[in-house]
Amino acid sequence: MAKIDLPTISSGYASNTTFNTTFTALENEFQQKVLYRNNPDGEPNSMQNDLDMNSNDINNVKNLSMTGDFTVDGVDYLTEMETVYNNYVSLTQKVTISTSDPSGGSDGDIWFKINT
């Protein structure tokens, strides 16, 4: 099925009405169903459905803002990043840092001990 069906315009008096109806249909399609690359200020320009890139890339993204899951090849990266962060926090809580030398060294050295 076509995304828009336009009538065939024939000659005669009624063709003016058909012509205007066709242009109204085109205008409605462009106003309500097209995602614009350069959208006029104040006009809505958002997706209403998923966009399937059919294995194509999205190039030159300056900023990426998102809500929800961040999943790549079945891996939930928000969960993975949270795990890495929690492991980091756990490790830093086991480290004691001191400027007092436990067994020699030189001024300015930082000593640390990992409590296991």
Side-chain angles (χ1 to χ4, degrees), residues 98-107 109-113:
S98 173
T99 54
S100 303
D101 62 24
S103 60
S106 56
D107 289 341
D109 287 349
I110 296 176
W111 304 93
F112 66 92
K113 175 183 172 187

Side-chain angles (χ1 to χ4, degrees), residues 87-96 112-116:
N87 290 341
Y88 166 78
V89 169
S90 175
L91 178 62
T92 59
Q93 291 173 349
K94 294 179 182 178
V95 174
T96 302
F112 66 92
K113 175 183 172 187
I114 298 176
N115 307 314
T116 56

Side-chain angles (χ1 to χ4, degrees), residues 30 44 69 102:
F30 280 114
D69 296 335

